[in-house]
Amino acid sequence: MKVAIDAMGGDFAPESPVKGALMAAQERPGDIVIVLIGQEDAIRAQLPEEVPANIQIVHADEVIGMAEHPTKAMQQKTRSSIALGYHLLKEGKVDVFCGAGNTGAMYVGALFSIKAIEGIMRPALISHVPMVNGNVGVILDVGANADCKPEVLAQFAQLGNLYCKYVLEHEQPRVALLSIGEEEQKGNIAVQAAHKILKEAEHLHFVGNIEGRDIFLDKADVIVCDGFIGNIVLKMAESVYEIMNKRNLHDAFFDRMNYEAIGGSPILGVNGNVVIGHGISSPLAIRNMILLAEKFAQAELNSKIKNALLQSI
């Protein structure tokens, strides 16, 4: 399996991406080849004299900065590391593409190049959710779609359900809407309408609404919300870990809120395997993003999503 990574993406690139890639390459020498995409001289400056056999370099002239406008950057910088990564993914020369750079450019790049799967209204960013009892669930969307129609939220439930089944290996994922009350009539108009749709979805194990205080209590495996709410939840969880870490308070559950533990957020609903990392990604986070990307690609989720779309939600 070939895992490509934007070596120029992130606040600490190319040092963090290259060091993280080295960690993953040494752990998975016979399983994956890591393709570092970016300015070759800058990448080689971070590599040891003896480069592992399962690391390759693909030169890219341009870099999309963290603050650049995503659409303009993708249109104007066709030789950037992000654009080249998507080109390799579209051509089937790599199995999965990862990047911790400009999140908007990574998302727009996916829509422009490999495109959304036919029938998908809005591809979603998904994040793992640690539970107090040791289980792991997911929340989506976590930032790609700030405003969502009820039908989009219902489709997110379907995408999250498939991810939990085939990547996290939950036999029958419990699906819930994140709302301001457990009652069916609680929430904004979109959430209330989505509740009615999901209540009638026979192929989903819909358990109704959950509240913010329930997120980590293992009441649902798939937590559905729009990207505005999801991103707030995600950043709040990260801040809890950061505050505790600064105060030298360590706990196994809260340590799992560290963004480094998972490393990235897969995009669900596009014709290819893409994982987006945090802009401040450390080498450990990059290493974990690569290992998540490998597992994500192995699950062949895209074909399962296409098959699932044949069923009407």
Side-chain angles (χ1 to χ4, degrees):
M1 178 176 292
K2 284 195 172 183
V3 179
I5 182 165
D6 173 15
M8 311 308 292
D11 294 342
F12 307 110
E15 181 179 0
S16 281
V18 174
K19 287 185 176 179
L22 285 169
M23 292 167 68
Q26 289 164 0
E27 287 184 48
R28 311 286 289 164
D31 300 300
I32 59 174
V33 172
I34 300 174
V35 181
L36 295 169
I37 306 170
Q39 296 172 340
E40 186 169 357
D41 290 345
I43 293 172
R44 289 198 179 278
Q46 300 296 328
L47 288 169
E49 288 187 14
E50 288 191 26
V51 180
N54 61 334
I55 282 188
Q56 299 175 358
I57 300 173
V58 173
H59 177 70
D61 297 320
E62 299 172 309
V63 177
I64 293 178
M66 297 294 280
E68 289 192 62
H69 188 281
T71 304
K72 288 182 180 179
M74 289 301 299
Q75 290 173 337
Q76 296 171 359
K77 294 187 173 181
T78 58
R79 290 294 302 170
S80 68
S81 50
I82 292 179
L84 193 52
Y86 277 117
H87 173 74
L88 295 175
L89 185 62
K90 184 178 179 180
E91 295 296 314
K93 294 180 180 178
V94 298
D95 299 289
V96 56
F97 177 46
C98 311
N102 187 310
T103 300
M106 286 290 292
Y107 185 79
V108 168
L111 296 182
F112 278 3
S113 57
I114 55 176
K115 304 185 184 304
I117 293 170
E118 187 176 355
I120 293 293
M121 291 174 272
R122 296 275 192 92
L125 270 178
I126 194 167
S127 185
H128 291 199
V129 178
M131 303 296 175
V132 290
N133 61 359
N135 290 339
V136 177
V138 296
I139 183 171
L140 71 162
D141 182 78
V142 292
N145 305 281
D147 297 295
C148 298
K149 294 180 179 180
E151 296 78 11
V152 173
L153 292 174
Q155 195 171 74
F156 287 170
Q158 192 175 19
L159 294 174
N161 181 65
L162 292 169
Y163 185 89
C164 266
K165 270 189 177 180
Y166 297 109
V167 180
L168 299 184
E169 300 178 347
H170 289 273
E171 188 174 342
Q172 190 179 34
R174 298 158 297 166
V175 177
L177 280 166
L178 185 59
S179 189
I180 57 172
E182 295 182 358
E183 298 84 359
E184 185 173 345
Q185 68 273 18
K186 289 293 182 71
N188 59 26
I189 294 173
V191 169
Q192 291 178 39
H195 192 288
K196 292 179 181 178
I197 298 172
L198 291 172
K199 194 176 179 180
E200 298 174 2
E202 296 180 358
H203 59 287
L204 294 177
H205 180 31
F206 181 56
V207 296
N209 292 344
I210 65 168
E211 300 179 76
R213 62 185 175 185
D214 301 320
I215 290 174
F216 305 109
L217 300 184
D218 198 33
K219 291 190 175 182
D221 303 298
V222 180
I223 302 169
V224 178
C225 59
D226 62 44
F228 182 85
I229 297 298
N231 192 266
I232 290 172
V233 170
L234 180 66
K235 298 295 174 58
M236 184 201 67
E238 290 176 358
S239 73
V240 170
Y241 168 77
E242 290 171 5
I243 291 168
M244 292 189 67
N245 192 46
K246 286 178 180 177
R247 296 187 176 190
N248 202 29
L249 299 171
H250 300 286
D251 176 88
F253 168 69
F254 290 106
D255 287 347
R256 292 164 67 205
M257 289 186 181
N258 181 3
Y259 80 94
E260 293 177 314
I262 297 299
S265 298
I267 301 180
L268 303 187
V270 294
N271 289 295
N273 302 306
V274 182
V275 181
I276 299 178
H278 204 304
I280 60 170
S281 287
S282 65
L284 177 61
I286 297 292
R287 173 258 189 199
N288 288 335
M289 177 169 64
I290 291 170
L291 298 183
L292 170 63
E294 178 192 14
K295 188 174 182 180
F296 181 42
Q298 285 173 340
E300 298 183 346
L301 198 62
N302 295 327
S303 62
K304 294 176 174 66
I305 290 172
K306 291 174 184 176
N307 291 335
L309 287 174
L310 298 176
Q311 307 176 45
S312 174
I313 195 164

